[in-house]
Amino acid sequence: MSTVNEQYEIVIGLEVHAQLLTQSKLFCGDSIAFGAEPNTHVSPITLAHPGTLPKMNRQAIGHAIKMGLACNCEIEKKNYFARKNYFYPDLPKGYQISQHTTPICKEGFVPIKTDAGEKNIRLNRIHMEEDAGKSLHDVNEYNTAVDYNRAGTPLIEIVTEPDLRSSDEAFAYVSELRKLVRYLGVCDGNMEEGSMRCDANVSVRKKGDKQLGTKVEVKNLNSIRNVKRAIDFEAQRLIDMLEAGETIKQQTRSFDANNGTTFAIRDKEDAEDYRYFPDPDLTPFDLKDDFINEIRASIPALPAERVAIYCSTYNLPEYDALVLTEEKETADYFEAAIQHTQNYKAVANWLLGPVKSWMNEHSRSINDFELKPEQIAALVQCVDDGKLSFSTASTKLFQLLLQNPTVAPAVLAEQNNLIQQSDSSELEPVIDAVLEQLADKVAAYKKGKKGLLALFVGEVMKRTKGKADPKKTNEIILEKLK
């Protein structure tokens, strides 16, 4: 029996604001560093004093173009900025400088992985604009405080077509976008700091209907998880309204992360409400092919390309490749390490095992990891050469190396008596003693209980305090049991 929800289709379009990684604001030299005391990164231009004039930030334009090229967009060569007029306490000028009819990047798409396979999420546009300040409602009991540090920060707004059909697809899209901006170095993607924020346009319609339903916009979602939660709640709310025969109004809503619900802020404005017109203080700017090609040449290998290389050239499982390329810095570290060894899988195992555990335990990133890539390669070599087992290398030598990051792994293993015994003359007396003591088990083994081999090896490892070479130990025991 079908439920009410199965009769409906969710239609989602996302608008993601990404703060560009520049040193200064879009139209003046004020710093955009996060975490400064309120109203310390402000100047007469930020505060819109009379007689001040904006000046374009060239690096911000370059970042916007780089993002557009990575998203398969057409780059608009003839650009201008417009004034978007609305009045709010955190907008000192009484208008926001944005792009309207000429977004710097048009169309394009971002591929995502879904349960049904890969899907291209079409983009409508990527345009540039300045950020507003920040209203603080909990500083004073009776008044709203305003911090203008963020006002004028350069943003790109990445706007999709209404191509998403579930909160899971939205989750995958924003995850892919955050990975992309970080790879490109155009935004740090830190949603918790507000440098990447998402607005979700959500509507529902009966399955089979071609006409879009009335949409609501849920503003300023500050985590990928909250994007998913807000869409799930809002879609169900809209379905419930339609089932109850209520009329849906186009409006702007906010999401309460504490209880997982949305609430209305205002009825939604249309473009004409903003009274766009070209900003007279900023001249139009034309982009040259040389400038665009220079930016194109600076784009690094992106995640999808790296995954393909890791699977085909380095023969890694797709899972390993996907996790290694999740963060550009981890992929860079992997690629630096395999310059010193051809055991690519072993390097991946170290990064996805002991190194990842260290990062999780200390809440650190690969950038904070003290061991250089060549030291991980040297650890791999120690194991490959039979000097010590992976178990000893990962549990003992790894910890010693973290405390002595400048010492070569092989030297450190020697100094701490970790080198495993692989000399037959040293191992045979220990093995003979074990087999003699476990004579009844030896008899059982010879009658067909082959699983007892692990017991014999384990006992040898115990007596040698883990220093016996497991492979050599296996060989000798098997020979003696024939």
Side-chain angles (χ1 to χ4, degrees):
M1 181 178 172
S2 65
T3 64
V4 169
N5 284 31
E6 289 173 345
Q7 300 171 25
Y8 288 89
E9 178 179 56
I10 308 170
V11 180
I12 305 156
L14 297 180
E15 300 169 8
V16 175
H17 291 84
Q19 178 180 312
L20 296 176
L21 273 176
T22 58
Q23 297 296 314
S24 57
K25 295 184 179 179
L26 188 52
F27 300 115
C28 70
D30 294 344
S31 170
I32 64 168
F34 178 78
E37 287 296 311
N39 298 311
T40 54
H41 292 169
V42 296
S43 66
I45 294 179
T46 290
L47 297 175
H49 287 188
T52 58
L53 290 172
K55 185 177 180 181
M56 181 64 62
N57 184 328
R58 178 185 175 93
Q59 187 183 31
I61 295 173
H63 282 345
I65 294 170
K66 184 182 283 190
M67 186 64 184
L69 291 172
C71 293
N72 313 287
C73 298
E74 175 192 343
I75 306 302
E76 174 61 59
K77 293 182 182 177
K78 294 187 178 297
N79 289 262
Y80 74 89
F81 279 96
R83 292 187 180 182
K84 180 181 181 181
N85 294 274
Y86 63 97
F87 296 94
Y88 207 67
D90 54 18
L91 204 64
K93 293 189 287 286
Y95 60 85
Q96 178 188 34
I97 300 178
S98 180
Q99 288 186 304
H100 179 41
T101 58
T102 61
I104 194 166
C105 311
K106 296 177 179 177
E107 300 177 344
F109 62 89
V110 174
I112 64 168
K113 292 189 184 303
T114 71
D115 292 339
E118 191 170 278
K119 177 178 178 178
N120 289 338
I121 305 303
R122 294 174 301 147
L123 301 184
N124 176 281
R125 59 194 283 152
I126 299 175
H127 66 262
M128 301 176 65
E129 63 186 21
E130 60 177 347
D131 207 349
K134 188 176 182 181
S135 295
L136 305 166
H137 306 291
D138 54 359
V139 174
N140 184 286
E141 186 177 355
Y142 301 105
N143 300 296
T144 291
V146 182
D147 178 8
Y148 288 121
N149 279 349
R150 200 173 68 186
T153 295
L155 302 176
I156 49 173
E157 182 174 351
I158 306 147
V159 183
T160 74
E161 297 290 357
D163 282 0
L164 298 146
R165 293 293 177 269
S166 70
S167 62
D168 287 333
E169 287 189 2
F171 187 97
Y173 169 79
V174 180
S175 298
E176 197 62 37
L177 213 57
R178 184 171 65 174
K179 190 193 305 183
L180 194 55
V181 297
R182 286 176 167 174
Y183 257 81
L184 295 170
V186 301
C187 173
D188 61 24
N190 291 335
M191 297 186 78
E192 64 279 3
E193 293 180 2
S195 54
M196 188 168 150
R197 309 190 293 277
C198 180
D199 301 339
N201 293 291
V202 184
S203 65
V204 296
R205 63 186 177 188
K206 284 287 184 74
K207 285 185 177 176
D209 286 355
K210 298 301 181 188
Q211 187 171 345
L212 293 173
T214 302
K215 69 177 180 181
V216 295
E217 181 180 27
V218 187
K219 298 286 285 185
N220 292 332
L221 299 166
N222 64 355
S223 76
I224 300 178
R225 178 170 172 266
N226 282 344
V227 171
K228 177 174 167 55
R229 292 173 67 207
I231 290 171
D232 282 337
F233 175 84
E234 194 55 34
Q236 189 60 55
R237 188 185 73 86
L238 295 176
I239 290 170
D240 291 344
M241 287 180 68
L242 291 177
E243 285 297 304
E246 298 175 35
T247 301
I248 296 172
K249 288 200 304 184
Q250 184 173 322
Q251 62 181 195
T252 300
R253 300 178 69 84
S254 188
F255 179 67
D256 186 333
N258 292 321
N259 59 27
T261 64
T262 67
F263 56 93
I265 304 174
R266 59 183 180 269
D267 288 346
K268 177 65 178 168
E269 301 92 342
D270 291 316
E272 56 266 23
D273 296 321
Y274 293 124
R275 304 185 315 284
Y276 283 99
F277 64 87
D279 191 305
D281 293 335
L282 284 161
T283 56
F285 60 98
D286 293 349
L287 300 174
K288 304 300 182 188
D289 287 334
D290 288 349
F291 182 53
I292 296 171
N293 290 334
E294 183 183 324
I295 293 166
R296 193 191 305 275
S298 73
I299 294 176
L302 298 177
E305 182 183 346
R306 279 180 154 170
V307 167
I309 292 171
Y310 290 6
C311 293
S312 62
T313 305
Y314 306 138
N315 293 318
L316 294 184
E318 186 182 31
Y319 173 81
D320 289 13
L322 287 169
V323 178
L324 286 172
T325 57
E326 192 66 33
E327 300 286 346
K328 179 178 181 294
E329 292 77 12
T330 304
D332 289 344
Y333 191 101
F334 170 76
E335 291 179 18
I338 62 173
Q339 299 303 310
H340 305 277
T341 176
Q342 291 189 328
N343 193 339
Y344 311 127
K345 176 58 177 164
V347 174
N349 290 344
W350 273 95
L351 290 179
L352 302 181
V355 176
K356 192 175 179 66
S357 295
W358 178 89
M359 291 191 293
N360 291 338
E361 184 181 336
H362 296 87
S363 299
R364 309 282 284 278
S365 74
I366 195 74
N367 292 334
D368 305 311
F369 188 54
E370 291 191 21
L371 302 186
K372 295 179 179 177
E374 51 265 36
Q375 287 173 292
I376 293 295
L379 279 170
V380 169
Q381 198 61 50
C382 284
V383 175
D384 286 352
D385 290 346
K387 291 181 178 177
L388 64 167
S389 66
F390 177 76
S391 175
T392 301
S394 59
T395 56
K396 296 179 181 178
L397 182 56
F398 183 61
Q399 296 303 321
L400 290 168
L401 203 54
L402 288 170
Q403 296 163 21
N404 305 273
T406 58
V407 183
V411 173
L412 205 55
E414 191 80 52
Q415 290 173 349
N416 288 273
N417 198 27
L418 296 178
I419 301 297
Q420 66 184 9
Q421 296 173 1
S422 54
D423 190 328
S424 299
S425 62
E426 292 179 357
L427 289 174
E428 284 197 22
V430 179
I431 292 170
D432 288 341
V434 168
L435 296 180
E436 185 178 339
Q437 182 183 337
L438 300 176
D440 56 331
K441 304 294 184 185
V442 170
Y445 174 88
K446 290 182 176 180
K447 289 180 180 178
K449 290 193 174 181
K450 303 302 182 185
L452 288 168
L453 178 63
L455 173 68
F456 304 143
V457 174
E459 190 61 33
V460 173
M461 297 300 289
K462 191 187 300 180
R463 294 192 182 197
T464 60
K465 296 181 180 178
K467 291 176 62 179
D469 180 343
K471 185 178 178 183
K472 191 70 176 175
T473 301
N474 258 290
E475 290 174 3
I476 296 172
I477 291 176
L478 286 170
E479 188 62 35
K480 289 180 178 292
L481 290 174
K482 279 184 180 177

